Amino acid sequence: MQEQDDLITRARAWLAEDPDPETAAELAAIIEAGDVTELADRFSGTLQFGTAGLRGEIGAGPMRMNRSVVIRAAAGLAAYLKAQGHAGGLVVVGYDARYKSADFARDTAAVMTGAGLRAAVLPRPLPTPVLAYAIRHLGAVAGVEVTASHNPPRDNGYKVYLGDGSQIVSPADTEIAAEIERVETLASVPRPESGWDDLGDEVLEAYLARTDAVLTPGSPRGVRTVYTAMHGVGKDVVLAAFARAGFPAPVLVAEQAEPDPAFPTVAFPNPEEPGAMDLAFATAARVNPDIVIANDPDADRCAVAVPTADGWRMLRGDEVGALLAAHLVHKGAQGVFAESIVSSSLLGRIAEAAGVGYEETLTGFKWIARVEGLRYGYEEALGYCVDPEGVRDKDGVTAALLVAELASELKEQGRTLSDLLDDLAMEHGLHATDQLSVRVSDLSVIASAMAALRAEPPVSLAGLRVSSAEDLNRGTATLPPTDGLRYHLEGDYKARVIVRPSGTEPKLKCYLEVVVPVADAADLAPARTRGQEILDAIKKDLAVAMGI
């Protein structure tokens, strides 16, 4: 009974200072109904601020995304920036088209202004890479992007960048979190009604002018594209970038072209999810383009699909990552090619053959973007950084342009993206990748699965003996500690498995790779079949080992 009384007392205290009539009414109704279970869920703790910032379901209470949580987060960020010597510095704020995004952006600008910093807000919902570009373009000390990327419709998030234009990493995350904890009440956070800059289109125009830099002057631009914005904010910027570059205007997937926070045509607004590309493929069946391109809702990721004899096939992120790397090598790119540990080892082989630098990082562009001398970085989850001097983060707009240029060049030669993938397989071996991804409603399932693997690591997977098992919590010679496990399997196929909890979604993710030798073109089809057989067997055995 005491615990129930404490819950209600805390809920009423939260309600008393909730600045949002919607969430206030929601919480008042829960209190009135005496729904202790719901209150416990919302007041069991607070959303944790980490290297991914904040992300969660919109709603009332400290375990949800709402204006009260965002105001506290902004106040903590402002205090951190001042402690770092950035008093009076500029913080630029961007936002997507999700529920409450504009409100959260405005609250952030008000808090920064009230704390004595300067704030500037992008003019409307725009792609996340525009915000990442704006930070360095405007000389800001930090940036905030209000977005939940490709999460379900009821989610929103709060992503923080520092003045170098890349996302925060430790120890900045823990130091900001500590400042957030020091915020006692919302009344203690000054929030003026004005004083920040509402930007016009100048930053967007500068970003669009920069997008041309990823293309080779005079390169072919003839590829015909179907494009979907996945109900997000990419359409106008992608169309403008393609027009400036001289590509034919992409044919839009009309049902998904305009921003809509309800994401009505997809179960999850992520091109990787089953069914998400169905409307794009239906459009492609009508207009017969050369390729299909999709962005996720905040347009920092880029998906590509190619025609096959049986319809359209989504390329894996690793396949697009390799294609872009090969294209950049062909264009004479110099510098370091980087990827995260969960991405295909093919990038390292391409880099070695080309004589360019190569580096492997922890998962996330917060790490990839910090690689010294970076020229190109990618991650298997459809993220590509093709212009690190402009955007030190994944950018689905410039990646789309570079894919279109590559497809145009191949088209002039009577070839396709699939043909180039075949070439890479014959040169370096067929790098078959797959993923076992388990979405959970109870996060303890993930902890239990990781604990089970640590307590009793598998000795074999798919009939292949596990030759090495690394607990990445301990770090390696080249990587700092992270919550993950890595297995290498013995045999001719150089099989590799990495298991880790997702940093942004309630998922346990297992990343699998098998390298099948290919002698010539006749070996390609059998190699693909053999690779998938091994991957499927690994998935089956891994699920048993994790107890899921």
Side-chain angles (χ1 to χ4, degrees):
M1 190 65 179
Q2 179 63 45
E3 184 177 342
Q4 180 176 330
D5 290 344
D6 288 347
L7 265 178
I8 292 173
T9 299
R10 280 158 47 209
R12 283 179 174 153
W14 185 274
L15 175 61
E17 61 173 15
D18 191 334
D20 187 332
E22 274 189 55
T23 49
E26 176 187 299
L27 183 55
I30 295 169
I31 295 171
E32 180 68 23
D35 190 339
V36 178
T37 301
E38 187 65 22
L39 288 176
D41 185 47
R42 292 165 183 260
F43 287 85
S44 59
T46 59
L47 279 184
Q48 293 301 300
F49 187 94
T51 53
L54 293 168
R55 199 173 287 192
E57 184 179 348
I58 294 171
M63 287 295 290
R64 299 287 189 271
M65 281 295 296
N66 51 64
R67 291 183 61 197
S68 297
V69 165
V70 165
I71 289 166
R72 285 178 166 83
L77 174 59
Y80 166 82
L81 292 172
K82 291 165 74 173
Q84 296 294 311
H86 296 308
L90 173 67
V91 178
V92 60
V93 184
Y95 58 102
D96 67 11
R98 284 179 176 265
Y99 295 117
K100 303 287 183 183
S101 286
D103 295 335
F104 295 167
R106 185 182 186 281
D107 283 333
T108 299
V111 170
M112 296 301 160
T113 303
L117 292 137
R118 294 177 295 123
V121 183
L122 293 180
R124 58 185 173 278
L126 288 168
T128 293
V130 177
L131 179 278
Y133 169 82
I135 295 166
R136 298 176 71 207
H137 178 70
L138 296 174
V141 298
V144 172
E145 177 70 14
V146 179
T147 182
S149 188
H150 55 276
N151 275 40
R154 287 300 303 172
D155 286 4
N156 212 328
Y158 199 80
K159 185 184 293 189
V160 177
Y161 298 74
L162 295 182
D164 63 355
S166 56
Q167 298 174 49
I168 57 168
V169 294
S170 187
D173 57 341
T174 54
E175 292 171 4
I176 295 169
E179 294 289 358
I180 294 171
E181 285 293 315
R182 294 190 181 99
V183 179
E184 294 182 358
T185 65
L186 292 194
S188 69
V189 181
R191 285 177 287 140
E193 292 294 318
S194 61
W196 57 88
D197 290 331
D198 290 311
L199 297 169
D201 281 343
E202 300 83 5
V203 171
L204 176 59
E205 286 301 318
Y207 167 81
L208 284 169
R210 174 91 199 177
T211 60
D212 293 348
V214 305
L215 304 175
T216 300
S219 63
R221 309 286 164 94
V223 73
R224 293 175 299 109
T225 305
V226 160
Y227 170 76
T228 176
M230 204 67 68
H231 298 297
V233 298
K235 182 198 74 173
D236 290 344
V237 178
V238 166
L239 290 181
F242 269 61
R244 289 177 63 100
F247 289 104
V251 176
L252 299 178
V253 179
E255 303 93 331
Q256 299 175 334
E258 300 302 326
D260 187 338
F263 303 106
T265 70
V266 292
F268 292 97
N270 178 354
E272 293 179 296
E273 293 284 350
M277 294 291 288
D278 286 356
L279 287 171
F281 294 161
T283 303
R286 291 195 303 271
V287 303
N288 194 31
D290 300 304
I291 56 173
V292 172
I293 289 177
N295 286 139
D296 66 338
D298 68 326
D300 63 349
R301 299 170 195 248
C302 177
V304 181
V306 296
T308 72
D310 301 318
W312 286 83
R313 181 177 81 87
M314 262 276 288
L315 298 181
R316 293 191 174 277
D318 285 318
E319 291 177 304
V320 178
L323 287 169
L324 290 177
H327 186 43
L328 288 168
V329 165
H330 177 68
K331 286 158 68 80
Q334 295 294 313
V336 178
F337 284 24
E339 64 180 342
S340 65
I341 57 172
V342 300
S343 303
S344 172
S345 59
L346 177 55
L347 182 68
R349 291 180 172 87
I350 292 171
E352 182 181 13
V356 300
Y358 170 74
E359 191 163 328
E360 194 177 57
T361 75
L362 292 183
T363 307
F365 269 82
K366 57 184 175 282
W367 299 109
I368 294 171
R370 285 181 160 76
V371 168
E372 188 172 347
L374 180 68
R375 175 59 185 87
Y376 169 63
Y378 100 90
E379 191 158 70
E380 55 75 42
L382 310 182
Y384 315 96
C385 175
V386 301
D387 178 24
E389 289 305 306
V391 176
R392 291 189 180 178
D393 198 5
K394 54 187 176 291
D395 183 345
V397 180
T398 49
L401 285 175
L402 204 59
V403 167
E405 180 184 56
L406 172 57
S408 295
E409 289 188 358
L410 291 168
K411 183 179 180 180
E412 281 208 347
Q413 302 163 17
R415 286 161 45 81
T416 66
L417 296 177
S418 297
D419 293 329
L420 181 53
L421 285 172
D422 288 348
D423 291 348
L424 292 172
M426 286 186 284
E427 182 177 358
H428 302 291
L430 178 72
H431 289 62
T433 60
D434 206 346
Q435 192 178 124
L436 172 62
S437 183
V438 183
R439 185 180 292 272
V440 302
S441 55
D442 179 0
L443 291 177
S444 68
V445 173
I446 294 176
S448 296
M450 294 295 290
L453 288 173
R454 286 191 165 102
E456 193 172 346
V459 295
S460 70
L461 295 167
L464 303 172
R465 190 177 71 84
V466 176
S467 57
S468 70
E470 298 171 274
D471 188 342
L472 299 177
N473 254 341
R474 300 172 184 150
T476 72
T478 57
L479 298 170
T482 187
D483 187 9
L485 301 163
R486 179 164 58 182
Y487 306 111
H488 289 280
L489 312 183
E490 70 174 9
D492 296 332
Y493 297 115
K494 299 184 178 68
R496 182 207 68 190
V497 176
I498 295 174
V499 183
R500 61 179 286 273
S502 171
T504 56
E505 297 179 89
K507 282 183 175 182
L508 181 64
K509 303 182 96 171
C510 311
Y511 305 85
L512 323 175
E513 180 177 55
V514 174
V515 184
V516 184
V518 176
D520 53 38
D523 285 344
L524 285 168
R528 289 196 171 94
T529 299
R530 181 59 180 146
Q532 194 58 54
E533 288 172 350
I534 298 172
L535 292 172
D536 290 342
I538 291 174
K539 282 196 283 188
K540 183 178 178 180
D541 290 352
L542 196 58
V544 172
M546 294 188 295
I548 56 174

